[in-house]
Amino acid sequence: MEEIRNAEGLRICPECGKPKEAKKKLFFQKEETVPIACDCVKAEEARFREREERERRERVKKDCFGYRKTLIKCGFDSYVCDSEASRDVKEKCHLYVKKFDEMKENGLGLFIFGPSGDGKTYLSAAICNALIDSRPGFRAYFTSFSEFADTMRSKYEERRDDVTDKLKTYDLVVFDDYAAERKTDYMNEKIKEAVDMRINAGLPMIVTTNMTKEELLCPKDVSEERVFSRYLGSCKFIGYVAPDYRREEQRRIQKEWEAISG
């Protein structure tokens, strides 16, 4: 294809019509012709960067949530607030994302408590997604104390090392559904071990639980009291009572079925 040049003799892109060269003064103020990116190249570079960023987010979210694939779709925009309490908790979680750099510097996380189905898991996942989307290089890990304990029992050293590395180095770790695990001496030991990893690394964690405020204020035993004291020193407590979205969804499905079936 014959090259197209402008009045200055510089090559022109036949697609966008913008220069592919420019005259610049380089060594000893001597003017030389140097290649530059036309609009076509700039657009292609932008698409490449966008694709790379999209793939990065997908990889990091897959690493974060593992088999919990549905949590990848959790976001603040789709969180339903139908009470003052739920709006308050959502705002606090959203604020945590905005101030995360400060929170991370101080190793401060969140402890979200309330009845089953009030959106604790959803909001925790929304925090992870928002931070992954807005911070290149950010890494989060969504797990539970039961999973951690099971992993530590694994005969595969590589698997154990992978999880402990995440707890010691990832920007944020979520321990979902605390107190749902079976209480044993081994489990208590592993909960303390996991929490201590985050605290000793000076990194934040989010813990969710169905425990009530009264249960949190009155630990059942010394082991539980020790763990609570660690949470108190490293997490901001958020508690609320919100509608059970699973029950609401079931009622909606039931109504639709009744309408269809007559």
Side-chain angles (χ1 to χ4, degrees):
M1 182 182 292
E2 185 178 351
E3 290 186 343
I4 303 175
R5 295 181 179 271
N6 61 15
E8 297 179 88
L10 300 175
R11 288 189 299 132
I12 300 297
C13 175
E15 298 294 330
C16 65
K18 296 299 176 69
K20 299 177 68 174
E21 295 177 328
K23 291 183 178 181
K24 292 185 179 180
K25 289 185 178 180
L26 301 175
F27 305 106
F28 305 107
Q29 301 299 310
K30 180 182 177 181
E31 190 175 71
E32 294 186 15
T33 301
V34 297
I36 60 172
C38 65
D39 286 355
C40 292
V41 172
K42 290 178 182 177
E44 181 59 32
E45 289 175 345
R47 286 192 293 270
F48 177 77
R49 288 193 298 270
E50 183 180 346
R51 184 169 63 251
E52 272 197 328
E53 176 59 17
R54 183 173 63 253
E55 291 174 353
R56 177 199 70 82
R57 293 197 301 267
E58 290 173 355
R59 288 194 304 271
V60 176
K61 289 181 181 181
K62 182 178 179 180
D63 178 53
C64 174
F65 297 112
Y67 68 88
R68 302 176 176 88
K69 296 179 181 180
T70 57
L71 297 184
I72 292 175
K73 299 179 181 180
C74 294
F76 289 109
D77 290 342
S78 54
Y79 178 72
V80 180
C81 296
D82 48 10
S83 72
E84 189 63 34
S86 61
R87 278 190 290 273
D88 180 62
V89 173
K90 176 184 176 180
E91 288 174 4
K92 288 177 179 176
C93 289
H94 202 197
L95 181 63
Y96 184 79
V97 172
K98 291 181 179 179
K99 293 184 172 292
F100 182 76
D101 291 336
E102 180 183 341
M103 298 297 104
K104 181 183 176 182
E105 185 177 347
N106 292 286
L108 293 176
L110 295 175
F111 190 98
I112 310 175
F113 64 94
S116 175
D118 62 8
K120 300 181 297 296
T121 297
Y122 189 100
L123 284 173
S124 299
I127 290 173
C128 292
N129 286 322
L131 289 169
I132 291 171
D133 288 341
S134 61
R135 287 169 167 76
F138 182 89
R139 297 179 301 174
Y141 181 46
F142 202 101
T143 186
S144 69
F145 290 117
S146 294
E147 289 179 8
F148 173 70
D150 289 343
T151 300
M152 292 301 101
R153 282 197 183 101
S154 172
K155 64 180 180 180
Y156 300 106
E157 184 177 354
E158 183 178 345
R159 184 184 173 200
R160 298 196 303 270
D161 290 346
D162 177 60
V163 170
T164 54
D165 177 67
K166 289 176 178 178
L167 295 189
K168 291 179 179 179
T169 63
Y170 275 26
D171 301 286
L172 181 65
V173 170
V174 176
F175 294 109
D176 192 41
D177 215 10
Y178 168 62
E181 60 278 339
R182 189 164 59 91
K183 293 297 182 184
T184 64
D185 290 341
Y186 175 77
M187 181 60 70
N188 290 335
E189 175 191 338
K190 291 306 165 186
I191 290 174
K192 179 179 176 298
E193 180 181 342
V195 171
D196 282 347
M197 282 186 193
R198 296 300 292 175
I199 293 175
N200 292 337
L203 293 168
M205 60 184 159
I206 294 176
V207 181
T208 74
T209 183
N210 293 339
M211 297 179 72
T212 65
K213 182 178 180 181
E214 290 70 28
E215 289 173 323
L216 293 170
L217 292 173
C218 302
K220 295 177 181 178
D221 50 43
V222 175
S223 177
E224 197 173 74
E225 183 177 0
R226 287 174 178 170
V227 173
F228 285 177
S229 67
R230 285 170 167 76
Y231 294 146
L232 286 169
S234 60
C235 295
K236 176 180 174 60
F237 276 56
I238 301 175
Y240 67 111
V241 177
D244 187 327
Y245 295 121
R246 285 186 287 274
R247 292 198 189 99
E248 291 293 335
E249 181 67 7
Q250 189 60 43
R251 281 194 286 267
R252 183 187 67 78
I253 294 172
Q254 182 65 26
K255 287 180 179 180
E256 289 183 356
W257 171 252
E258 291 173 355
I260 293 172
S261 60

